[in-house]
Amino acid sequence: MSAASKPVDWTIGPSAVPYAAAVERMESRVDAICRGTAAEEVWLLEHPALYTAGSSAKESDLIAARFPVFKSGRGGQYTYHGPGQRVAYVMLDLKRRKPDVRQFVRDLEEWLIRALAQFNVKGERRNGRVGIWIAHRDGSEDKIAAIGVRLRHWVSFHGVSLNVDPDLDHFSGIVPCGVRDEKFGVTSLAALGLPVTMAEVDIALKQTFQEVFGPLNG
């Protein structure tokens, strides 16, 4: 079995994991993967309400610091994390898989698109707007999933977030991902009329991750 085909650890964490503690755990795991002493991992969790500022964040995009703000090493701009949102920290060794950042991001997008399709939701990519979007008949579009990653010695960390049933009003304290156009907003599975549980979302994510990235352990 090649290194890339070895099962990836699939870990579901508790709700309301503090951001700083999550980053510390994630970076520790990434260092171990770099050393070859730990398996790759996908860690699913929820955070308490907070904002993170990626490496491209602009101060003007923080409208109101309604929640704690954390500087994040991931790419991208401002985003919100909170209860009802599934965060997946993806720690994969791209050197052993394929050292291609653009392809990795496309694979993350494909994973989210396939997971949403499990609930008959059509998620779409958009050039120039990172993440997964839902198009409406009136021409407006809402973001349902965000992507922000970083690499250390070709091992990925940070990852994706999918809005299951968060309080969407909490996004109003920021310009999400720097997109200011009024026809672009945010949505969730619940807002689309799909009251699915986090456990059901996790099942869909697990199944479709294996389709895109390969076998899992856990």
Side-chain angles (χ1 to χ4, degrees):
M1 181 180 290
S2 69
S5 64
K6 291 181 179 178
V8 176
D9 286 349
W10 183 264
T11 306
I12 298 179
S15 60
V17 177
Y19 187 74
V23 171
E24 182 179 2
R25 179 198 181 283
M26 176 171 53
E27 291 194 341
S28 177
R29 181 66 175 240
V30 166
D31 288 342
I33 295 170
C34 290
R35 294 193 304 269
T37 58
E40 298 171 303
E41 182 183 31
V42 176
W43 183 28
L44 278 64
L45 68 153
E46 292 176 80
H47 284 305
L50 57 92
Y51 298 127
T52 65
S55 57
S56 302
K58 301 175 182 178
E59 289 188 13
S60 59
D61 286 344
L62 180 61
I63 299 170
R66 299 169 57 184
F67 306 107
V69 180
F70 295 88
K71 289 186 177 180
S72 172
R74 62 167 173 78
Q77 302 184 51
Y78 278 102
T79 193
Y80 165 79
H81 293 313
Q85 182 189 72
R86 178 49 91 206
V87 174
Y89 289 131
V90 182
M91 293 163 271
L92 300 181
D93 189 346
L94 301 190
K95 185 181 292 185
R96 298 185 179 186
R97 290 172 173 269
K98 185 177 182 180
D100 184 330
V101 178
R102 290 186 178 180
Q103 184 60 51
F104 176 56
V105 172
R106 285 194 66 82
D107 287 344
L108 292 174
E109 292 170 340
E110 182 66 21
W111 175 31
L112 292 165
I113 288 169
R114 292 189 185 198
L116 288 167
Q118 298 288 306
F119 304 104
N120 296 315
V121 173
K122 185 179 180 182
E124 300 179 310
R125 299 177 175 90
R126 289 293 182 266
N127 291 332
R129 287 187 272 130
V130 179
I132 302 302
W133 296 80
I134 305 298
H136 302 292
R137 293 181 179 178
D138 63 1
S140 65
E141 297 181 8
D142 289 328
K143 191 173 190 176
I144 195 168
I147 298 172
V149 297
R150 184 180 178 183
L151 300 181
R152 177 178 296 168
H153 303 298
W154 285 105
V155 176
S156 67
F157 57 121
H158 297 284
V160 305
S161 58
L162 174 62
N163 295 334
V164 180
D165 188 16
D167 186 337
L168 296 178
D169 182 61
H170 291 172
F171 285 88
S172 64
I174 58 172
V175 178
C177 301
V179 180
R180 290 183 172 272
D181 194 314
E182 290 185 0
K183 71 177 182 179
F184 302 135
V186 291
T187 192
S188 67
L189 289 172
L192 294 173
L194 296 166
V196 299
T197 66
M198 195 67 74
E200 290 171 328
V201 169
D202 290 347
I203 291 170
L205 288 170
K206 187 173 185 178
Q207 176 182 327
T208 53
F209 181 92
Q210 293 179 99
E211 294 172 0
V212 176
F213 292 100
L216 289 166
N217 178 37

